[in-house]
Structure formats: C-alpha cells, structure tokens
Amino acid sequence: MSKRKLQPSASNPNQDYCDFLLELADFEKNVSRNIYKHNAYRKAASALSRHPVRVSSGSEARQLPGVGRKIADKIDEFVQTGRLGKLDKIRASDEAVAIGQLSRVSGVGPAKARELFSAGVTSLEELRRRPELLNHHQSLGLRYVSEFEARIPRTEAAALEGHVCSRLAALDPLYCATVCGSYRRGAESSGDVDFLLTHPAFTSSVNEKPARGSSANQKPAKGSAANQKPAHGAAANEKTGGQLLRAAVDQLKNEGFITDTLSHGDTKFMGVCLLPGERYTVHRRIDIRLVPHDQYFCAVLYFTGSDEFNRQMRAHALEQRFTLNEYTLRPLGATGTPGEPVPVTSEEEIFEYLQYPYRRPEERSL
C-alpha cells in the first residue's frame, strides 16, 4: 500500500517508522474510514520525522507530541521483530490492497475505490482497461498517477510559485498568490503545491451576494461578513470569484503552463501543469483556491500550518477572548458570541491582536 519504503537516513533517522505509520494512516482513511486514527498516525509520523535522532524504543517515542501508548507499542514491536503484525494482515487482504492502490488516483476517494473493487477492479492496470468507470478528473488522475506522487523539490516549487505570480502580475498586478503548506514552512520537498489567490475586487461581502442568490431568506456563505466593507478602492469594481478565477486560469492556460483541467468551480481550480524548459519533465497537480481579500491573511496563516501550530494558536486566541479560523479573527463578547471580524492586513497583525509572539513560517512546524 505504501508508495515507497525508505531506510533511515541522515535527513530522517526515523524514516522506517514514518513509513509504516503513514501506511497505517492510508489504511484507516481509505479502508476503515477512521479519520481519527488516520490523523493520529499522521501526527505521530510528523513528530518522528522532525526528531533529529534515532528513536530506539516505544517509551522514547512517547516523549514526542502525538505519540501515544498504542503507537509506542507498535514501535516496540517493529524494533524487536522488524515487522508489524497489523500491516502483515492488511497486506494479506485483497480488498485492503486494492483499495489502497486505487485510492492513489487523484479524484478516487474511499467510496469510489470500494465501488471499483466491487466492480472487479483490483489494480491500476485493470483500471486502465476500464476507462468507462471513471469521470474526467479520475481519468486524468490515472494518467498522471506516478507523476503526481513524485515529490516536488523545493527549487521546483519555488519556480512554480515564481511562474504563477509573474504571469498573474502581467494580467493584473493586484492579484496576490501564495504557496502555503510545508513549502512555506521551509520543507526541502513537497507533496503538492497549493496556491491561495486573492484580489482586492473580491471580498467576503461580494462572495456573499452570489451565495444568497435571489432568496432573501437564504443563509450567508460560511465565514462571510455581511456588514464588512470591501477593501479600499474595490467597492466600485467588485467582481465575483468566478470571474477572477477564470481570468487567472485562462492566463496560465494561454502560456501553456496549465495543460489539463481536473475541476473548475467559482473559487477552486484543480489542474495539471508543467513548467516551461527542458529541465522540467514531470507534470504536477496544481490547486488554486480563491479567497476573499479581507479573509486572505487568516487563510494564509491557516493553510501554512502546521496543524499543531494552528491548534495552539486557536487555543491562545480563546484565552485572549478571540475566535480564530481560516476565515476571520473575531472578538468574543461577554456571552461568548463572536463579534464582527477585525480588519486584518497581514499575518503579523493577527499575532499582534492576540499578543502572541510572531513566528516566521519556517518556525511553525511543531
């Protein structure tokens, strides 16, 4: 089920532990459908990957955040036997192996993988012989499965970011795009490159209008701020997310950078891209999420992560009588009801509001 196995190395002396934990995480997500265990295994693997020395026992591993007794027991079993009984059983299950393989395809979730298995598909090779079972996104995901799984070196991720930002600036210098996730936290390689995009003409108040449609009784979109004023200079030039995202994607398509579309909504685009130049030969999946301008820096903070850093910062926000999420920072009233979003024009301002020492993105991998 695991995409590849690596031995302990100087860069990650606990790589083999991380491998089996991530394989267990995939099983829990795709086969058992237990997201709680999935997240627990991934959190433990993340803590082990950042630990600078080799862990020699479960009790030693338990000193790390996110490593509980059951995971520590698995580490002890692996140290003593060089294998894991639970993984042996998983690998002996035709259904588990098939679902793990099929779930590698972009657009094929656990439910679709089970459906394919029920239809007699047990491998990627068999799936390639049954194209009628896949939609457009899944067909492209199957075509590029190996390329999408390849890690993206930091130098290439930086080139992707630079190319997208320069092409959007040529279209309209008011576009702003940021690559978040582990790349922004300084990782040497990334699994994907996800862009957050914004423009002053698109605010949460603009976003709410199409969400409401013609019904006066329809609830506002999640995270919207109905009474918040648009960014300075944007009121007279309001644009919907669909207009702005479509223009941005068309610009990148015209340059030949985006080669295929996986899906395209009003505020989220997923596609396939390839950097120009002979040195770039691997197609990458590109995700572009358009965020209202007044919510952009809360989104940048949230999608930069890490998950543990976000959890700690949200807990601190509550202590300071604020509620913080990917959309807004809001003060809590005397009854605990969130008030209107406070204006945020940078990540640093969020830290200042919360009286929380600023941490640069590369200091947030907890």
Side-chain angles (χ1 to χ4, degrees), residues 298-334:
C298 285
V300 168
L301 177 68
Y302 176 84
F303 286 105
T304 295
S306 64
D307 291 344
E308 178 61 20
F309 177 77
N310 286 344
R311 188 196 67 77
Q312 291 184 12
M313 198 160 184
R314 288 194 302 268
H316 179 81
L318 290 173
E319 293 175 359
Q320 298 296 313
R321 304 294 299 168
F322 282 89
T323 178
L324 174 66
N325 58 28
E326 66 185 270
Y327 306 102
T328 57
L329 175 67
R330 297 171 182 253
L332 292 174

Side-chain angles (χ1 to χ4, degrees), residues 222-258:
K222 181 181 178 182
S224 65
N227 298 319
Q228 190 164 337
K229 295 180 180 179
H232 178 70
N237 298 298
E238 291 180 346
K239 293 184 179 180
T240 68
Q243 291 172 320
L244 287 164
L245 183 58
R246 187 161 45 252
V249 169
D250 286 346
Q251 173 77 347
L252 297 172
K253 284 184 176 179
N254 290 339
E255 298 292 324
F257 170 69
I258 291 179

Side-chain angles (χ1 to χ4, degrees), residues 14-332:
N14 299 297
Q15 183 68 59
D16 48 353
Y17 303 143
C18 296
D19 281 338
F20 78 66
L21 288 171
L22 291 175
E23 188 168 349
L24 289 171
D26 285 344
F27 170 79
E28 296 296 347
K29 176 184 177 183
N30 298 324
V31 182
S32 294
R33 308 293 294 275
N34 189 324
I35 295 302
Y36 174 79
K37 286 187 176 181
H38 165 79
N39 290 336
Y41 284 131
R42 288 189 63 85
K43 185 176 181 180
S46 178
L48 284 161
S49 71
R50 295 192 303 272
H51 196 56
V53 297
R54 175 74 173 173
V55 167
S56 59
S57 68
S59 60
E60 186 179 340
R62 286 203 69 178
Q63 306 306 308
L64 303 178
V67 180
R69 178 181 59 82
K70 290 185 178 180
I71 291 178
D73 288 345
K74 288 179 172 59
I75 289 174
D76 277 333
E77 179 185 351
F78 188 82
V79 168
Q80 295 163 11
T81 68
R83 58 194 303 169
L84 209 59
K86 182 172 182 177
L87 274 184
D88 288 343
K89 292 180 181 178
I90 291 171
R91 292 167 181 165
S93 165
D94 292 341
E95 180 180 9
V97 171
I99 289 176
Q101 284 290 311
L102 298 172
S103 296
R104 292 167 54 193
V105 177
S106 178
V108 174
K112 179 64 177 181
R114 286 180 179 277
E115 176 188 318
L116 292 169
F117 179 76
S118 298
V121 179
T122 61
S123 68
L124 297 185
E125 290 70 25
E126 291 178 7
L127 188 57
R128 291 187 177 96
R129 296 194 291 268
R130 305 282 298 277
E132 72 280 1
L133 298 177
L134 302 177
N135 62 27
H136 175 73
H137 181 165
Q138 295 157 354
S139 295
L140 287 173
L142 180 60
R143 181 192 304 175
Y144 295 111
V145 60
S146 296
E147 292 179 85
F148 285 176
E149 286 180 345
R151 299 288 295 181
I152 306 174
R154 183 170 185 82
T155 53
E156 184 178 344
L160 285 163
E161 182 179 40
H163 183 84
V164 168
C165 290
S166 66
R167 298 319 307 150
L168 294 182
L171 172 66
D172 183 340
L174 294 181
Y175 275 109
C176 180
T178 303
V179 178
C180 295
S182 61
Y183 166 76
R184 191 162 184 259
R185 299 199 308 271
E188 288 304 311
S189 66
S190 307
D192 49 32
V193 177
D194 296 342
F195 284 86
L196 285 185
L197 178 68
T198 195
H199 190 285
F202 181 56
T203 67
S204 57
S205 58
V206 176
N207 191 29
E208 182 188 1
K209 292 174 184 177
R212 278 197 310 238
S214 58
S215 173
N217 296 320
Q218 190 170 339
K219 293 181 180 180
K222 181 181 178 182
S224 65
N227 298 319
Q228 190 164 337
K229 295 180 180 179
H232 178 70
N237 298 298
E238 291 180 346
K239 293 184 179 180
T240 68
Q243 291 172 320
L244 287 164
L245 183 58
R246 187 161 45 252
V249 169
D250 286 346
Q251 173 77 347
L252 297 172
K253 284 184 176 179
N254 290 339
E255 298 292 324
F257 170 69
I258 291 179
T259 62
D260 291 287
T261 296
L262 298 172
S263 65
H264 194 160
D266 283 342
T267 58
K268 181 74 180 289
F269 172 84
M270 297 166 57
V272 184
C273 68
L274 182 65
L275 279 166
E278 294 182 358
R279 61 180 296 191
Y280 300 110
T281 60
V282 179
H283 290 83
R284 306 296 187 183
R285 200 181 103 165
I286 181 172
D287 291 6
I288 304 175
R289 180 191 300 265
L290 181 69
V291 178
H293 196 263
D294 51 302
Q295 298 177 355
Y296 186 63
F297 292 103
C298 285
V300 168
L301 177 68
Y302 176 84
F303 286 105
T304 295
S306 64
D307 291 344
E308 178 61 20
F309 177 77
N310 286 344
R311 188 196 67 77
Q312 291 184 12
M313 198 160 184
R314 288 194 302 268
H316 179 81
L318 290 173
E319 293 175 359
Q320 298 296 313
R321 304 294 299 168
F322 282 89
T323 178
L324 174 66
N325 58 28
E326 66 185 270
Y327 306 102
T328 57
L329 175 67
R330 297 171 182 253
L332 292 174

